[in-house]
Structures are given as structure tokens and as C-alpha cells.
Amino acid sequence: PESPDHLPFEVLDDALLELPEKDRRTLLLRYFENRPFREIAHSLGIGEDAAQKRTSRALDSLANILLS
């Protein structure tokens, strides 16, 4: 099966595994569990602004992995 943007799931899964655990966890909470930043922040023990920044940086890192 393929993901909604036509990227094979195994490619996405492999790329996620290349991320540090904290980045992977952030992306899983946000995009796979559809959690709001407030819940992500609480789950990770950080502020809401930090959760937003961590998500943004993790997405950038994931994009770099997928494009390399």
C-alpha cells in the first residue's frame, strides 16, 4: 500500500527510523495520532511553543532524509 501522497509506506517508515527518537515521537503524535500541540507538549514535558518548533524541525529533517 501507499501513503496518501503516493510515497510507499516502507520508504516513509525507513525515513522515520532515521530520525532521533524525540523527533520521531513528535511526528507520530502530531500526524499519526492527530494530537494538538498542547497535548504533544504535555506528553513530551515541554512547552507548547517548543512542541511546535520541534515538529517543524522534525518535518524538515524528515524531508531532508526523503530527498537524499
Side-chain angles (χ1 to χ4, degrees), residues 1 6 16-17 35-36 42 51 56 58 61-62 68:
H6 307 295
L16 284 168
L17 289 173
R35 301 281 180 96
H42 179 56
S56 178
S61 295
L62 183 62
S68 62

Side-chain angles (χ1 to χ4, degrees), residues 16-62:
L16 284 168
L17 289 173
E18 290 187 40
L19 292 173
E21 174 63 30
K22 67 180 185 174
D23 291 346
R24 182 171 50 251
R25 179 80 178 129
T26 302
L27 293 179
L28 292 175
L29 288 168
R30 181 67 178 158
Y31 296 105
F32 289 85
E33 296 182 18
N34 296 314
R35 301 281 180 96
F37 289 114
R38 184 176 344 119
E39 287 183 26
I40 295 169
H42 179 56
S43 177
L44 300 175
I46 59 177
E48 192 170 339
D49 287 342
Q52 290 177 0
K53 289 176 186 176
R54 184 176 292 179
T55 301
S56 178
R57 284 192 303 262
L59 278 175
D60 288 343
S61 295
L62 183 62

